[in-house]
Amino acid sequence: MTVKGEKMTIHPLFILIRENLVLTVHSEEINRLLRFSRYAQPFFKRIAGEDTPDKITLTLERIIDENNDRNFEYLREIEMHGDAISKSLIEENVAKKKVAHDIYRMKHVLIDYLNVLWATKDVVDSLRYGDADLITNDEKLLGRIGILYDNIDRHIELTEQMSNVLASGLEVMQSIYNNQLQSLNNRFALVTAYLTVLGTAFLVPNTIATIAGSGVMRGTMAEQWWYVPLLAVSTLVATLGSFLWVVHVWKKREED
């Protein structure tokens, strides 16, 4: 696999074996076995005296080990991107919607990465329990393949942990959205409370004025000296009463 930014590309590596022959086929875009090629000559000298199944097994183990090492390096790169996303969660100027999309894409990369690790694990299993005519029966050499298996298992666990961390990041994003919606609801409730106070403040004196100007009262009430003070006092009492009631209800809501 190769990782560039938030994009992962999977390059299949085919390994074909038969008697005394190991053939690898892979994309020209990667130099996956470069380090192995540098030390190929002393490696083959060291295994020259081994039986053919042992030679094939050691060669396959070396190829898979180097391929795994290169793949494992990308986990650090993915972790760096995950750390950058975590940092953006605490920055107020960053659009949270963009961060959520970044987290989703990174989780998708981790899923692809896990698929590659599981596929590699299947290959190692085929070496441990594969064709006895081509693969060695030496317990020591099979133990080295077991080490490869354990390394893959550890990286699978690390990848799953990182996926859980990113999933918790999505939960944080959901909590942020919920808090924003709650804050917006609180603002609307506060506006409604103020409108209630204002509505009550205008409703009471308006009712008195309507009664005073109606034909029932024949306009005598509006001519009295205490009419204007009555409107002022009723407005003040209605405003204060409605305001105190709203404050009481608001405090009770916060306590709940």
Side-chain angles (χ1 to χ4, degrees):
M1 70 188 79
T2 55
V3 178
K4 294 181 180 179
E6 296 179 351
K7 182 180 180 181
M8 172 179 288
T9 305
I10 299 175
H11 305 274
L13 172 62
F14 299 97
I15 304 177
L16 309 177
I17 60 175
R18 58 175 300 175
E19 293 181 3
N20 207 27
L21 176 63
V22 177
L23 175 64
T24 61
V25 182
H26 55 82
S27 172
E28 294 181 350
E29 298 178 7
I30 57 174
N31 295 320
R32 185 48 51 95
L33 306 178
L34 185 60
R35 285 184 296 182
F36 183 34
S37 64
R38 292 175 181 173
Y39 305 103
Q41 187 174 359
F43 173 80
F44 286 113
K45 284 184 179 180
R46 188 170 66 251
I47 67 173
E50 303 288 345
D51 296 333
T52 298
D54 294 350
K55 291 180 184 179
I56 292 178
T57 303
L58 288 169
T59 303
L60 290 176
E61 185 267 336
R62 185 69 183 85
I63 291 172
I64 295 174
D65 183 45
E66 181 162 346
N67 184 71
N68 289 347
D69 287 342
R70 293 294 298 276
N71 286 339
F72 294 160
E73 291 175 0
Y74 291 115
L75 184 60
R76 292 195 296 268
E77 206 169 313
I78 296 173
E79 186 175 3
M80 291 174 60
H81 285 288
D83 183 67
I85 293 174
S86 299
K87 182 180 178 181
S88 62
L89 283 173
I90 61 177
E91 295 180 359
E92 297 182 356
N93 297 329
V94 178
K96 302 305 178 184
K97 186 176 182 180
K98 178 180 179 301
V99 177
H101 284 289
D102 291 340
I103 293 176
Y104 171 77
R105 286 193 293 267
M106 190 56 61
K107 279 185 64 65
H108 186 71
V109 169
L110 285 174
I111 291 173
D112 290 338
Y113 187 82
L114 275 173
N115 289 335
V116 173
L117 292 183
W118 282 107
T120 309
K121 190 174 180 180
D122 291 339
V123 173
V124 175
D125 274 338
S126 68
L127 287 181
R128 297 170 72 187
Y129 310 110
D131 191 344
D133 295 333
L134 295 176
I135 305 301
T136 183
N137 291 323
D138 191 323
E139 293 294 334
K140 183 178 180 180
L141 296 182
L142 293 177
R144 296 181 61 174
I145 296 176
I147 295 175
L148 294 179
Y149 190 89
D150 294 338
N151 286 337
I152 296 172
D153 267 344
R154 281 194 295 269
H155 280 79
I156 288 176
E157 292 176 0
L158 290 173
T159 306
E160 290 176 344
Q161 290 176 5
M162 191 178 302
S163 180
N164 292 334
V165 170
L166 289 177
S168 64
L170 287 175
E171 293 176 359
V172 169
M173 294 298 303
Q174 186 63 40
S175 299
I176 291 175
Y177 287 139
N178 291 338
N179 291 336
Q180 290 176 346
L181 290 175
Q182 184 63 38
S183 177
L184 189 61
N185 290 334
N186 291 339
R187 291 180 182 179
F188 276 119
L190 186 60
V191 170
T192 303
Y194 285 134
L195 291 177
T196 302
V197 174
L198 293 175
T200 305
F202 285 104
L203 180 63
V204 173
N206 184 62
T207 303
I208 295 176
T210 301
I211 295 174
S214 65
V216 176
M217 302 298 297
R218 295 180 181 178
T220 57
M221 185 175 181
E223 297 175 357
Q224 301 299 320
W225 64 268
W226 42 263
Y227 176 68
V228 174
L230 175 63
L231 292 180
V233 172
S234 62
T235 301
L236 180 62
V237 172
T239 303
L240 182 61
S242 59
F243 178 76
L244 293 177
W245 175 255
V246 168
V247 170
H248 171 72
V249 173
W250 193 268
K251 287 184 177 180
K252 187 177 180 179
R253 181 181 177 183
E254 288 182 349
E255 291 176 358
D256 294 340

